Amino acid sequence: MTAAILFAFASAAFLGAAVVTSQLGLRTIDPLSGAAVSVPAFTLLFLLLSPILLAGEPVVWRGLPIFAAIGLFFPASLTLLAFASNRALGPVITSTLGNLAPLFSVALAVVLLHEPLRPAQLGGLLVAVVGAVIISVTRPRDLGHWRSWALLLPLAAALVRGVVPPIVKLGLDVWPSPLWACLIGYVMSSLVVLAVQRVRKGSFLVQAPVSGWLWFAVTGVSNGLATLSMFAAVRHGPITLVSPIVATFPLVTVLLSAIMLKHIEITSRIVGGTLLTVAGVALVLAS
């Protein structure tokens, strides 16, 4: 259980960082092209390291179709939705509505995996989500975007992020290797985003400034490590424990936004939201 908790916090940290770095990359590259850089960047890095990382990891062929099918949609569709949302609404609202993901995850885990959900866990989950939302919405002008059709982007991303962990957990019951699950999924997603790029632009290679390439490469690695950590977390623990912890990623997003984007101030709202988030996660861990 300790491993699941540590991996979940690591996933939150990498995910929160990726929201900010993608915002920097979006200054010079559109979302779809950014996905064609970020997803293959981590895939390439993973493939280069695979002789070391996968040494001693057995292959279970009947698990291959499961992870390949997941990879057609995740992380490809999630990356495209998240980048488009970041471009349209910014990192604040993207992170805010992204916090609905654990609600989908926990609901599906209870229904599909028959994981028990104690009242204290449910209460902690709701408190953590509310705290993360309070943290994210820091400026009155942010609220003006909430009536936009673009809100469908982060909502769809939250749905994808929420549905995937229970399905991945089913796959890990067949092939208990988060490393193989992540690699296979990323290879498939790379093919998807590169195919989209080829259809849109007539070339697999993204034409963009070096700075844009670098920021999206960093984003891809951060997102990839977040995915790998999340897979490892659900391998070692229940989703009802993992998802509320991963939902704390706006803490990292707001902190890095304040440092790198220069438009977030530490206010009483952020302090209050932080306390609620920490209290919610503590309640989940204690239950």
Side-chain angles (χ1 to χ4, degrees):
M1 199 69 74
T2 301
I5 294 171
L6 294 176
F7 280 126
F9 275 120
S11 181
F14 288 124
L15 185 60
V19 174
V20 177
T21 56
S22 66
Q23 184 73 10
L24 295 169
L26 287 167
R27 293 174 177 175
T28 55
I29 301 180
D30 66 272
L32 293 179
S33 295
V37 174
S38 66
V39 177
F42 181 71
T43 304
L44 179 59
L45 177 63
F46 207 150
L47 286 171
L48 291 174
L49 295 176
S50 60
I52 299 173
L53 296 177
L54 298 176
E57 288 279 330
V59 176
V60 181
W61 292 109
R62 61 194 178 96
L64 179 61
I66 300 174
F67 295 141
I70 292 172
L72 290 174
F73 302 96
F74 179 87
S77 63
L78 176 60
T79 302
L80 294 171
L81 288 167
F83 288 175
S85 174
N86 224 339
R87 178 80 170 246
L89 302 171
V92 174
I93 294 179
T94 297
S95 295
T96 301
L97 294 184
N99 278 288
L100 296 177
L103 301 179
F104 297 122
S105 291
V106 170
L108 193 58
V110 171
V111 173
L112 186 63
L113 304 176
H114 307 294
E115 290 189 5
L117 181 62
R118 292 182 289 274
Q121 285 180 305
L122 177 60
L125 169 62
L126 294 176
V127 170
V129 169
V130 170
V133 169
I134 291 174
I135 291 167
S136 301
V137 185
T138 58
R139 300 169 297 169
R141 68 185 180 205
D142 287 335
L143 300 175
H145 296 291
W146 283 58
R147 292 184 295 273
S148 169
W149 65 269
L151 290 177
L152 293 175
L153 296 171
L155 286 173
L159 178 61
V160 172
R161 186 179 284 118
V163 167
V164 164
I167 298 176
V168 168
K169 194 169 182 68
L170 287 174
L172 290 172
D173 287 340
V174 177
W175 187 355
S177 175
L179 287 168
W180 274 113
C182 188
L183 179 58
I184 293 169
Y186 260 83
V187 168
M188 296 302 296
S189 281
S190 292
L191 296 177
V192 171
V193 295
L194 288 174
V196 171
Q197 175 68 13
R198 177 69 174 80
V199 171
R200 290 177 62 245
K201 301 293 186 178
S203 171
F204 293 113
L205 188 65
V206 174
Q207 302 296 323
V210 174
S211 61
W213 268 79
L214 290 176
W215 279 121
F216 271 114
V218 170
T219 299
V221 172
S222 189
N223 271 329
L225 292 174
T227 299
L228 180 58
S229 299
M230 187 266 288
F231 284 7
V234 300
R235 169 71 180 89
H236 290 92
I239 290 170
T240 50
L241 170 68
V242 171
S243 290
I245 297 175
V246 176
T248 64
F249 76 91
L251 292 171
V252 179
T253 297
V254 170
L255 177 61
L256 290 181
S257 293
I259 296 172
M260 302 175 68
L261 302 180
K262 307 299 183 182
H263 70 271
I264 300 293
E265 296 180 0
I266 305 300
T267 64
S268 58
R269 182 191 296 270
I270 291 179
V271 173
T274 299
L275 292 176
L276 275 178
T277 302
V278 172
V281 171
L283 186 59
V284 170
L285 295 177
S287 59

